[in-house]
Amino acid sequence: MPLAKKWGINGLIDHDRLYKELLQTFFREFMELFFPEAAAQLDFTQAEFLSEEVVTDITGGTKRRLDILVKTLMKEEEMFILVHMEPQSYYEEAFPERMFLYASRLYEKYRLRVLPVAVLSHNKNIDEPDVFGWHLPFLEVLQFRYYRLQLRKYNWRDFTHSNNPVAAALLSSMGYNEDEKIQMKLEFVRMMTQMQLDPARMELLMVFFESYLPLKKEEELLVAREIERIYGEGGGPAMKWETARVKLAREEALEEGMEKGLEKGLEEGMEKGKEQVAAKLLELGLDPVMIQAATGLSPAELAALPRAGSAGPENS
């Protein structure tokens, strides 16, 4: 099944599945892009994505939003990386507490250290906390901290020179203005042309990016024209793959053009047919007034028709 259909690019977006697929496919790139200090100490060759059953057990049997649980090594010691996601439309004040509960349950059950990571993509203009705890007047009882990635707080332009595929995909999840959308799409295309990835991964990046950058058909056609201007006729390497929405816009524009062409062709064909009928009736000697009434041609149009034995208008 094409990824665009799988995740509803033209309908409701399955945010959880999109983010989960992106992070599982490019987990090392994700960590290196946003948390390079931690990534430098992790052994990604030993990374193991744990099953949904383990995640459900840690979350207390409730079906939560995206959770990715990775077991790996840090300096030859086993540990967990817990990635928890809150999508665009969702916001919960108890999020820090939930991060603490998930990490503490992991530690309680497996007695392994946990690196908690929160990925937040909602549009609220607030600074999310990255700590949970409590204290008494005489004692700091608990201070639990976690990595916080608040995507809308990042400016997309700061990542356009990266060759990291996660940076390309997440451009449209970062902060941008409406008048920057076409430029962002062009930068995404440029970044994609520089990556040596297999078609399935390229499609994943494309579907993810386009799911969070809604462009109108006219805007997609502007992008396509600009790609051809930059990369030459046909778009060159930039259009070896054609994004779902650009392709759809092209198809709709082509269909619309074909319909208009068909209508024009029918009109011209009908007009030509009337002229041929009128010429034949004139050849048979029928009264021109009757021919005008039957065909709708004007006297001037009728007079301009070639007669039998006529060589037509002389060449000047």
Side-chain angles (χ1 to χ4, degrees), residues 112-126:
L112 295 178
R113 288 189 289 180
V114 181
L115 172 60
V117 179
V119 181
L120 305 114
S121 61
H122 61 67
N123 293 316
K124 288 186 175 291
N125 189 26
I126 59 173

Side-chain angles (χ1 to χ4, degrees), residues 104-151:
S104 60
R105 286 170 185 163
L106 267 174
Y107 182 78
E108 179 186 22
K109 184 166 184 175
Y110 297 98
R111 288 298 192 270
L112 295 178
R113 288 189 289 180
V114 181
L115 172 60
V117 179
V119 181
L120 305 114
S121 61
H122 61 67
N123 293 316
K124 288 186 175 291
N125 189 26
I126 59 173
D127 288 322
E128 289 278 4
D130 58 1
V131 62
F132 172 77
W134 64 85
H135 65 274
L136 302 173
F138 46 84
L139 180 65
E140 183 81 24
V141 178
L142 174 69
Q143 187 178 59
F144 166 79
R145 301 185 64 85
Y146 52 90
Y147 275 147
R148 175 198 61 197
L149 179 61
Q150 199 168 346
L151 290 170

Side-chain angles (χ1 to χ4, degrees), residues 25 70 115 120 133 136 140 149 153 178 197 230 246 288 306:
T25 304
V70 182
L115 172 60
L120 305 114
L136 302 173
E140 183 81 24
L149 179 61
K153 292 288 185 179
E178 284 295 306
L197 298 174
I230 297 171
V246 168

Side-chain angles (χ1 to χ4, degrees), residues 4 42 72 96 146 154 177 183 201 221 267 272 290 301:
L42 298 174
T72 188
Y146 52 90
Y154 289 88
N177 298 322
Q183 183 60 39
R201 293 188 176 202
L221 291 175
E267 290 175 2
K272 189 71 175 177
M290 295 181 64
E301 290 172 327

